[in-house]
Amino acid sequence: MIKDTIVDGFNNAPHRSLYHALGLTVEEQARPLIGIVSSYNEIVPGHMNLDKITEAVKLGVAMAGGTPIVFPAIAVCDGIAMGHTGMKYSLVTRDLIADSTESMTLAHGFDGLVMIPNCDKNVPGLLMAAARLNIPTVFVSGGPMLAGHLNGRKRSLSSMFEAVGAYSAGKMTDEELTEFEEKVCPTCGSCSGMYTANSMNCLTEVLGMGLRGNGTIPAVYSARIELAKHAGMQVMELVKKNIRPRDIMTAAAIKNAVTADMALGCSTNSMLHLPAIANECDVEFDLDWVNEISEHTPNLCHLAPAGPTYMEDLNEAGGVYAVLKELADEGLIDTSVMTVTGKTMGENIANAYNADPETIRPIDNPFTKTGGIAVLRGNLAPDGCVVKRAAVAPEMLVHEGPARVFESEEECIAAIYGGKINAGDVVVIRYEGPAGGPGMREMLSPTSAIAGIGLDKSVALITDGRFSGATRGASIGHVSPEAANGGMIAYVQEGDIISINIPEYRIELKVSDEEIAERKKNTALKIKTNLSGYLKRYSQMVSSADKGAIINKK
């Protein structure tokens, strides 16, 4: 306990004097000190309500006999950062968040933590910190946004990005575009589809680190405030029982997360974040697990952008626990794993049920018999690349076409809006990987432009960068090795034929070995030399995408 090393004894009188400077009473100093890691800020829509969540957590901790102390964590809004230099600063914050949380926690000796994240890199960054610190910890997120409503249909941020493509193609008027931008994001919260933020908040439940409803209760529901109070109370139980994150986030729990990912149809970014979380838990994440698990895990949900349902619908259908119950009844989930409730996953989901078989398909009537994500390998990506196959049109599951090669996202977007991409093309965007970007930018703008102009069922896109969870179509990211590290994607030339076969997990550049060897002799890699600050350090230390884009420990 903190009082043993910082509070008790004459030698700790200076520490106590500083607690008094904080206004902490002698009684508060004698209780367990609980760090409340609040990601509240006023620029991220998913975080603007976290002040309310933070106050509710503090109340819960105090009600249960602890002393809550708030400190901050940063967060980037991927939507606002999208399509410009700002996106280089999205993925890289995951490690800043983990490092700064570690620093604050160990510097001040907290007995337990409640993590309050919500958006894309903020959730995995704090999960990484929880595993690294390994003191009793509970997560409670800010919750998802409600869907927008236009012309009798639910809409979301992915609809907005696709509307830009439709507008550029002359398919939408100025007035219609303005109506979209005013209505698609109607409340605070993480964007309303199964994008990265919501994927990771749902998987936090599956990992056992969040209470029921953490991933799905909408941000504007009062039930979210109640959940926050319960999270504050529950961390005190974990402190008493000394239940720690690595007791919970075991190899079995991480495999459960991959399984649930397949059923939920989560963002491909989970294939960066789960390996990074596993790394902090000292669990070796094998990317081949993805296809092995996918082969026997049906896809039960088609939330936006894959389909017409949203997080509010998943919540009403029974949430993550209802999905886990469907999987557990078929023996696909290890129900023996411990969770922050102090009970096993099996005990948690015993009474869960599927209240809406359209939002959560029953296990015997899935959308597809295989999972929502696939890892492809071949000479173009010997270490793997990732696609959200649940959001790929059936006619694009197998595709072959000529490469259209771009050295950056900006070049590609200009070509798309300039009408230079044709049906059948395979767009290649390179030098956007973790080290080469640096920062592995999301490619929602080009994928949405392709969808918006009506080419998502005839054009594929391949990159060593990554995609937003809002992306749909044959969008294949995380190509490893990346171009900056001499990966094959660096040697693709305009017009080369690329073959994609998602059901068989294959991706091939149809160029002879002799020709490839010749290109490697005569092609200079385009390494950025004008970097400075954090991006320079990050580019020098980051691993490849297949390893989770982690900071190399060596």
Side-chain angles (χ1 to χ4, degrees), residues 40-90:
Y40 168 75
N41 64 49
E42 294 184 340
I43 188 60
V44 183
H47 291 235
M48 62 182 286
N49 66 319
L50 295 190
D51 55 341
K52 308 294 189 301
I53 302 296
T54 300
E55 289 303 313
V57 169
K58 288 175 64 179
L59 183 57
V61 169
M63 287 164 59
T67 299
I69 302 289
V70 177
F71 65 90
I74 64 170
V76 166
C77 177
D78 279 23
I80 295 173
M82 193 72 64
H84 59 92
T85 300
M87 183 47 69
K88 293 180 183 289
Y89 288 91
S90 172

Side-chain angles (χ1 to χ4, degrees), residues 1-2 4 105-106 109-113 115 127 129-139 207-210 234-250 253 280-281 337-343:
M1 296 289 289
I2 183 176
D4 298 331
T105 300
L106 295 181
F110 292 106
D111 295 305
L113 297 169
M115 306 290 201
L127 283 166
R132 190 185 302 175
L133 291 161
N134 202 33
I135 63 173
T137 303
V138 177
F139 276 68
L207 287 167
M209 292 298 293
Q234 189 58 33
V235 75
M236 295 303 297
E237 288 298 310
L238 296 182
V239 170
K240 289 175 187 175
K241 296 176 181 177
N242 196 30
I243 298 174
R244 299 170 179 247
R246 290 192 204 173
D247 300 326
I248 295 169
M249 291 192 288
T250 61
E280 297 290 351
C281 295
V337 294
M338 179 52 61
T339 72
V340 291
T341 65
K343 300 177 181 179

